[in-house]
C-alpha cells in the first residue's frame, strides 16, 4: 500500500477520535466554566459581606454576670481505646478547678474502650461513664441522647441542674480558658462555638493539612459572617457549648431526644434548629490573657481513604439527608427586625452548605475537560488535528474564572497564614488541588452512602478512625511540652 493510502486510512481512523476529543472537551470546559463562574460569584458575595461587616457585629461578652453552675461535657465514644484516655487526662489537667462533669458514652460491646477509661473514671469524680443498653455503633446522635438521659437522671437524683452542655470528641485538645469563655457568652446566647483548629502532622501534611486550610477559612470568615448577621450557626460538634434550656426545648420537640438519632451530622442540625427557633448563637474567636487563641484543637485523617470517608459523611449528612431533615425553613427569623431579608440570607447559607455535590460535579467536568484539551493539543502536534480555538464567550469565562481562582487562593493563603503561620501558608496552594480530589471522591461516596441509607432505613455511625492520628497528636504534644 502506498504512503498516501496509509495516511488516508490513519486520518480516517482518528477522525472520530478528533471529533470526540475536541467536541467533548469544548462542552465540558463550557459547562465547568459557567459552573465555576456561578460558584465564584457566590463566594465573592460572602467575601463582600465579610469585608463589610468587619469591626462590627462581633460577639462581645455579655454585660450580665457569667453563667454559673456545673457544666456537663459530652464525649461520645466508639472504638476509642487509643485516643480517649489521653484526651481525658489532658482535659482534667487543663480544667483543674472548673465546675464540670465529663460524660463518656460507651457501648457494652466496646470493652477495649471501657477498660481503657475505667481506671480514670474510678480515680476522678468529674468523670461519668455511661454504657448504653444496645450494642454499637449506633449513631453519634443516639450516643449523645443517652448521655443526655444520664445527665437528666443525675439532676433528678442530686437535686441540681447543669447550666450548659459542651460537646467534644475523643481526640480533642481543649483550651484551659474554654469553660470561662462559654460562661461569659452563654449569658445571652443559646449556643457558643469557638474555632476548630486541625493539628498538622508532618507525615500527613498534604492530606491532613488541607483540613487546616479549609477550617482556617471557614472559621475565620464563613462562621464569623453568620454570627455577625445573626444567622443560624452550624455547630462543629466540638468546641461548642449549648445552654441546657436550649437542649431541653429540643428534647421536648423530639420526645426527650435533643439530638437526631438518624442523622450523620447531628451537631450541624442542632445548631441550625436552634437558629430556626430564633435563639441566639455566637461564634467567638478570642484570645486568653496570655494572647493564645481559645480554640479546640484535634487530629484529622492523614490518609486519603479516611479523609474521603469523613468528608463523604459530612456531605451525605448536610447536603443530602440534611435537606430531608431541615428543608428550607421560613424560620422565626421572619418575625425579627429585618426578618425577611435575614431569612433569605439564612436560606442562602443553607444553599452554600448543600452545594458540595454540585461543586464536585463541576470540578470533575473541569478536570476532565483539561485532560481532553491536553489530548487535543497532542493530537494537533502529532496527528495534524484541527487547532483548538476557544469561542470568545469561553475565552471570556476562562479569564474571569482565572481572576476568581487567584482571589480564592489569595484568601486561602491569608487565612492559613493567620492561623498556622507563613510556612503552612506556602502549602495552601498545592493543598487546594489535593482538597479538590478528595472532594470529588467524597461526593461520589456520599451519594452511595445516602442511597444505602434510603434503601435500608438504617443510619450507622460512620466514624473517623483516630487510632493512627492519636499517636501523631501525642508526639506533637510531647514536643510542645518539651519546648515549654
Amino acid at each position: 500500500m502506498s504512503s498516501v493510502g496509509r495516511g488516508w486510512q490513519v486520518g480516517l481512523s482518528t477522525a472520530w477520535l478528533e471529533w470526540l476529543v475536541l467536541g467533548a472537551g469544548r462542552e465540558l470546559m463550557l459547562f465547568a466554566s459557567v459552573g465555576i463562574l456561578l460558584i465564584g460569584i457566590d463566594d465573592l458575595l460572602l467575601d463582600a459581606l465579610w469585608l463589610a461587616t468587619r469591626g462590627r457585629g462581633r460577639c462581645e461578652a455579655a454585660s450580665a454576670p457569667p453563667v454559673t453552675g456545673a457544666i456537663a461535657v459530652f464525649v461520645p465514644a466508639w472504638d476509642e481505646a487509643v485516643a480517649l484516655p489521653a484526651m481525658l487526662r489532658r482535659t482534667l489537667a487543663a480544667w483543674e478547678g472548673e465546675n464540670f462533669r465529663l460524660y463518656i458514652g460507651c457501648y457494652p460491646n466496646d470493652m477495649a474502650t471501657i477498660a481503657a477509661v475505667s481506671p480514670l473514671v474510678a480515680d476522678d469524680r468529674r468523670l461519668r461513664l455511661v454504657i448504653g443498653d444496645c450494642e454499637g455503633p449506633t449513631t453519634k446522635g443516639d450516643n449523645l441522647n443517652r448521655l443526655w438521659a444520664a445527665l437528666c437522671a443525675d439532676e433528678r437524683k442530686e437535686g441540681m441542674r447543669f447550666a450548659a452542655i459542651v460537646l467534644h470528641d475523643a481526640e480533642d485538645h481543649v483550651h484551659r480558658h474554654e469553660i470561662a469563655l462559654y460562661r461569659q457568652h452563654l449569658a445571652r446566647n443559646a449556643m457558643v462555638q469557638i474555632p476548630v483548629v486541625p493539628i498538622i502532622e508532618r507525615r500527613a501534611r498534604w492530606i491532613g493539612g488541607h483540613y487546616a486550610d479549609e477550617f482556617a477559612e471557614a472559621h475565620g470568615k464563613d462562621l464569623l459572617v453568620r454570627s455577625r448577621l445573626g444567622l443560624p450557626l452550624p455547630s462543629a460538634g466540638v468546641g461548642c457549648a449549648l445552654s441546657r434550656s436550649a437542649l431541653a426545648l429540643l428534647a421536648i420537640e423530639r420526645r426527650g431526644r435533643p439530638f437526631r438519632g438518624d442523622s450523620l451530622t447531628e451537631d450541624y442540625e442542632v445548631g441550625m434548629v436552634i437558629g430556626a427557633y430564633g435563639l441566639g448563637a455566637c461564634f467567638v474567636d478570642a484570645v486568653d490573657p496570655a494572647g493564645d487563641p481559645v480554640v479546640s484543637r484535634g487530629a484529622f485523617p492523614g490518609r486519603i481513604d479516611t479523609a474521603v470517608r469523613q468528608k463523604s459523611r459530612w456531605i451525605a449528612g448536610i447536603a443530602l439527608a440534611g435537606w430531608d431533615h431541615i428543608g428550607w425553613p421560613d424560620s422565626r427569623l421572619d418575625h425579627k427586625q429585618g426578618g425577611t431579608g435575614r431569612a433569605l440570607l439564612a436560606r442562602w447559607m443553607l444553599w452554600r452548605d448543600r452545594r458540595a455535590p454540585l461543586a464536585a460535579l463541576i470540578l470533575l467536568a473541569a478536570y476532565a475537560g483539561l485532560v481532553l484539551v491536553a489530548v487535543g493539543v497532542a493530537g494537533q502536534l502529532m496527528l495534524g488535528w484541527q487547532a483548538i480555538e476557544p469561542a470568545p464567550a469561553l475565552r471570556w469565562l476562562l479569564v474571569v474564572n482565572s481572576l476568581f481562582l487567584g482571589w480564592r487562593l489569595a484568601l486561602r493563603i491569608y487565612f492559613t497564614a493567620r492561623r498556622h503561620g507563613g510556612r503552612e501558608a506556602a502549602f495552601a496552594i498545592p493543598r487546594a488541588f489535593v482538597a479538590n480530589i478528595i472532594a470529588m471522591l467524597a461526593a461520589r461516596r456520599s451519594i452511595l452512602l445516602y442511597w444505602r441509607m434510603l434503601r435500608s432505613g438504617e443510619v450507622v455511625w460512620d466514624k473517623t478512625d483516630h487510632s493512627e492520628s492519636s499517636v501523631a497528636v501525642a508526639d506533637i504534644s510531647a514536643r510542645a511540652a518539651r519546648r515549654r
Side-chain angles (χ1 to χ4, degrees), residues 218-236:
H219 287 198
K221 181 188 65 178
D222 297 34
L223 292 192
L224 271 179
V225 169
R226 295 188 186 202
S227 184
R228 292 169 182 171
L229 297 177
L231 301 177
L233 194 67
S235 164

Side-chain angles (χ1 to χ4, degrees), residues 95-109:
W95 291 347
E96 184 67 36
E98 292 284 359
N99 183 12
F100 75 97
R101 183 179 300 170
L102 195 151
Y103 287 79
I104 310 163
C106 291
Y107 295 92
N109 60 327

Side-chain angles (χ1 to χ4, degrees), residues 274-297:
I274 284 176
Y277 276 108
L279 302 177
C282 182
F283 181 80
V284 183
D285 191 353
V287 296
D288 64 15
D292 296 326
V294 181
V295 300
S296 174
R297 300 183 185 273

Side-chain angles (χ1 to χ4, degrees), residues 171-185:
E171 79 283 3
D172 288 352
H173 288 230
V174 303
H175 192 280
R176 61 188 180 278
H177 291 282
E178 189 175 324
I179 295 294
L181 182 145
Y182 293 146
R183 291 188 185 279
Q184 291 177 352
H185 291 276

Side-chain angles (χ1 to χ4, degrees), residues 286-359:
V287 296
D288 64 15
D292 296 326
V294 181
V295 300
S296 174
R297 300 183 185 273
F300 280 74
R303 302 195 317 265
I304 191 166
D305 58 332
T306 51
V308 168
R309 181 176 179 180
Q310 183 184 63
K311 287 204 165 183
S312 65
R313 173 170 58 84
W314 292 350
I315 296 174
I318 295 174
L320 302 176
W323 193 324
D324 297 335
H325 296 166
I326 301 176
W328 301 90
D330 292 336
S331 122
R332 290 169 174 68
L333 292 172
D334 290 332
H335 304 294
K336 302 175 74 174
Q337 183 179 3
T340 301
R342 198 171 298 179
L344 290 174
L345 285 174
R347 296 188 194 104
W348 175 42
M349 294 301 174
L350 280 174
W351 143 253
R352 288 182 55 82
D353 293 338
R354 296 170 181 175
R355 73 182 194 182
L358 176 61

Side-chain angles (χ1 to χ4, degrees), residues 402-432:
S402 297
L403 295 175
F404 277 147
L405 176 61
W407 172 249
R408 292 257 60 81
L409 293 178
L411 282 183
R412 181 61 58 89
I413 292 171
Y414 167 75
F415 285 108
T416 301
R418 194 176 68 168
R419 183 64 73 185
H420 299 280
R423 182 176 181 182
E424 289 302 328
F427 289 91
I429 292 180
R431 281 199 298 239

